[in-house]
Amino acid sequence: MSSTSSSCVDLRDHVQDQDLSEEYLSSSSRDYSAGSSPLTTPALSDEEFDFDVPSEDALLAPTQAPADGSEKYIMVIGGLGYIGSHTTLELLREGHNVIVVDNLSNSYKTVLKNVRMLAAHHCKVNNVPMPRLRFFRIDYRSKAMHVLLERYSKLVMTVDATSGKQVVSYQSRIAGVIHFAAYKSVVESIQQPLRYYRNNVCGLVNLLQELERFNIRNFIFSSSATVYGSKANAGLPLKEEDLIHHQVKTQNEAGETAIVEPTIEGLSCPYARTKYFGEAILADVAEADPDWRIVALRYFNPVGCDPSGVLGESPRGEPTNLFPVLTQVLKGDRSNLNVFGSDWPTRDGTAIRDFIHVLDVARGHIAALNWNSKKGNGFSTFNLGSGTGTTVLEAVRSLEQAAGREIPLALVDRRPGDVGMCVASTERAAKELGWSTRESITKCAADLWNYVSKVALRS
Ligand code: UD1
């Protein structure tokens, strides 16, 4: 047996355990930032909320090191969603212990089993110990989160450097937190702005307060290229300094000092504003308390999936992003792809995007975590993009090649709020994080088709 934890359950029991907690799940997926919580007496019993997830494959994996209560963890909030699950997998492959927090509102419990299986397979092949994977099916905004953070902390006595007085404070085994649990649909955000602000903004504020209480100040935030707003329309690769939150002093080549003020223009929807506000809040928090090390990663267009074809993007609602829509067409759930706009000033008239393989995005998180632990200082931003622009039609062609069949298209009007070109400048991430993309759009398409033909077509 790969796990020695007392909370380890057999997979057969595991399914039953999860079913037992459905009632809790349905109540915990509501928004609680308005004040109420389903848990009047918060409790996390191993039977209900906490699993090591063994799998048949894991039984053959090298033995897991026994827990002595001092192991460090990375907490991944929203760790079973599309980017979250790939990041959890990469963290495990890199040897990190992971605590996944997810309320399954936009993901499935089978993802956990698949992540565990793929990580175990990796460990077996490379003959390395399997890191610990813990799963808590809770809403990160519920009171259960406090109980969970407390479980991984202890009270220690330290001497305050200024006053010389003894103080009691928490010391956590959670070495860093990656926060994916935000809503991301542009259309939904226009229809339900308060829901978006409540989760993406109020939820973030409450989470930061909770983390601060437990002295966890190493934080990675999922941001988006959407924060550049209409600056994307300049048609140039977007640089991190195109959006800053505080005044910056720069020096030109002649040695003259210039002061750059923050400016923002053309945020296209409530979703974009929640990401902007999120970043601005984080920048202020880091400014006020220099112990915080915060990285906001601005994603361009994550696509593709793990080459195993076991993990993919399977949102619960109606997809609106290009690749999930293409998946539906390939599956036969949609007759054709509506191409939004064929009159953009680009090489084929369709919009240009910076598509990036989701595993590259996942590896970007690990690079950011490592950098933040060693060199992080206050609030920092990095683009996660490839630096290569691909048109919508070129993306469609890659998928057609991978699938060996034609994808029916209809050229329709531009989608409101879209920009013609959105491509990352990759310099800062390459220089500071030592990270750049490894995979091409061809690989993204091949891996997506592998997933569609293996999994999605059968469901
Ligand atoms: C969108 C959001 C962005 C968000 C990102 C991730 C908008 C305006 N922007 O980015 O804020 O961070 O998703 O959730 O929605 N396309 C089609 N037909 C389709 C779907 C898409 O032609 O059915 C085109 C779009 O017009 C666009 C490109 O494909 O030109 C990429 O679209 P999408 O995958 O939705 O990503 P973004 O618009 O770049």
Side-chain angles (χ1 to χ4, degrees):
M1 189 81 186
S2 67
S3 170
T4 56
S5 163
S6 60
S7 65
C8 178
V9 287
D10 187 275
L11 196 58
R12 287 154 297 188
D13 302 336
H14 172 233
V15 173
Q16 204 184 355
D17 279 346
Q18 289 210 338
D19 291 343
L20 284 174
S21 57
E22 283 298 335
E23 198 182 326
Y24 175 77
L25 168 69
S26 55
S27 56
S28 71
S29 4
R30 277 189 249 128
D31 278 344
Y32 294 111
S33 37
S36 67
S37 164
L39 293 179
T40 44
T41 313
L44 289 172
S45 76
D46 283 355
E47 293 72 33
E48 281 178 304
F49 304 117
D50 181 6
F51 308 101
D52 265 337
V53 189
S55 70
E56 281 171 29
D57 211 50
L59 300 179
L60 303 170
T63 318
Q64 194 174 44
D68 65 2
S70 66
E71 332 72 62
K72 297 277 186 202
Y73 289 82
I74 301 300
M75 176 177 273
V76 186
I77 303 174
L80 297 187
Y82 172 49
I83 305 177
S85 60
H86 284 87
T87 302
T88 299
L89 175 59
E90 280 304 294
L91 283 164
L92 292 167
R93 283 172 171 160
E94 291 282 324
H96 295 276
N97 297 315
V98 179
I99 296 169
V100 168
V101 171
D102 200 304
N103 67 359
L104 302 186
S105 61
N106 195 29
S107 55
Y108 298 88
K109 50 196 173 188
T110 47
V111 173
L112 180 68
K113 183 171 69 84
N114 290 337
V115 166
R116 178 69 174 84
M117 180 188 71
L118 291 170
H121 177 73
H122 171 90
C123 293
K124 196 174 80 179
V125 168
N126 292 282
N127 198 24
V128 291
M130 176 69 187
R132 309 190 78 76
L133 171 61
R134 315 286 295 175
F135 172 54
F136 294 88
R137 187 161 63 185
I138 57 176
D139 190 306
Y140 79 97
R141 296 163 292 169
S142 72
K143 287 183 183 169
M145 189 66 175
H146 180 90
V147 181
L148 173 57
L149 292 170
E150 200 159 41
R151 182 189 269 204
Y152 284 87
S153 302
K154 65 178 178 195
L155 283 167
V156 291
M157 186 90 82
T158 51
V159 178
D160 184 81
T162 328
S163 65
K165 284 186 183 161
Q166 286 191 326
V167 288
V168 176
S169 59
Y170 280 110
Q171 193 178 67
S172 180
R173 284 191 284 141
I174 298 167
V177 173
I178 309 179
H179 176 37
F180 290 106
Y183 300 141
K184 66 156 208 169
S185 160
V186 170
V187 176
E188 226 177 51
S189 80
I190 294 166
Q191 293 159 348
Q192 307 169 44
L194 291 180
R195 183 163 165 261
Y196 269 65
Y197 289 121
R198 207 162 56 216
N199 183 21
N200 295 12
V201 181
C202 302
L204 174 68
V205 171
N206 292 339
L207 173 65
L208 294 172
Q209 276 184 322
E210 208 49 82
L211 296 179
E212 216 168 42
R213 208 164 282 153
F214 289 95
N215 281 315
I216 303 167
R217 289 187 174 81
N218 184 357
F219 191 72
I220 311 290
F221 177 66
S222 294
S223 189
S224 162
T226 193
V227 297
Y228 291 115
S230 53
K231 287 184 181 171
N233 286 329
L236 296 168
L238 290 154
K239 293 184 174 167
E240 288 84 349
E241 50 268 37
D242 289 337
L243 174 65
I244 54 172
H245 296 282
H246 294 145
Q247 198 183 65
V248 174
K249 278 189 189 148
T250 57
Q251 273 204 331
N252 66 18
E253 280 164 12
E256 293 157 343
T257 303
I259 291 177
V260 185
E261 298 287 351
T263 56
I264 180 67
E265 52 199 54
L267 292 176
S268 62
C269 61
Y271 161 74
R273 276 183 280 280
T274 67
K275 288 294 162 188
Y276 170 75
F277 292 150
E279 282 201 11
I281 290 164
L282 291 166
D284 288 343
V285 165
E287 178 92 352
D289 177 354
D291 284 347
W292 273 100
R293 280 162 295 148
I294 300 173
V295 171
L297 295 174
R298 295 173 178 165
Y299 308 153
F300 280 68
N301 290 69
V303 294
C305 54
D306 188 76
S308 62
V310 173
L311 283 184
E313 183 168 16
S314 35
R316 282 188 186 266
E318 190 63 20
T320 54
N321 292 124
L322 181 63
F323 273 63
V325 170
L326 285 168
T327 301
Q328 286 201 320
V329 178
L330 287 170
K331 278 175 70 182
D333 294 343
R334 249 182 224 234
S335 57
N336 65 276
L337 172 80
N338 285 329
V339 177
F340 299 135
S342 48
D343 57 350
W344 294 104
T346 62
R347 46 190 176 265
D348 60 22
T350 62
I352 289 182
R353 291 292 182 272
D354 185 335
F355 297 101
I356 165 173
H357 197 291
V358 68
L359 278 183
D360 277 327
V361 174
R363 291 189 277 259
H365 286 78
I366 297 172
L369 260 182
N370 293 340
W371 178 86
N372 215 20
S373 308
K374 289 182 204 133
K375 298 186 192 162
N377 179 18
F379 175 74
S380 313
T381 55
F382 294 99
N383 287 340
L384 290 188
S386 68
T388 304
T390 303
T391 69
V392 170
L393 284 184
E394 287 164 355
V396 171
R397 300 285 170 253
S398 334
L399 207 48
E400 283 180 334
Q401 264 173 7
R405 68 164 110 136
E406 213 170 291
I407 295 173
L409 304 175
L411 302 182
V412 300
D413 286 347
R414 292 181 183 183
R415 184 172 64 178
D418 265 355
V419 291
M421 176 176 153
C422 187
V423 178
S425 158
T426 56
E427 240 170 78
R428 185 185 286 182
K431 193 168 155 210
E432 300 276 337
L433 304 181
W435 169 91
S436 55
T437 54
R438 294 183 202 166
E439 316 295 0
S440 63
I441 183 76
T442 312
K443 173 77 171 139
C444 293
D447 288 342
L448 177 66
W449 172 243
N450 187 33
Y451 168 72
V452 172
S453 50
K454 261 193 186 151
V455 180
L457 275 180
R458 282 201 230 125
S459 61

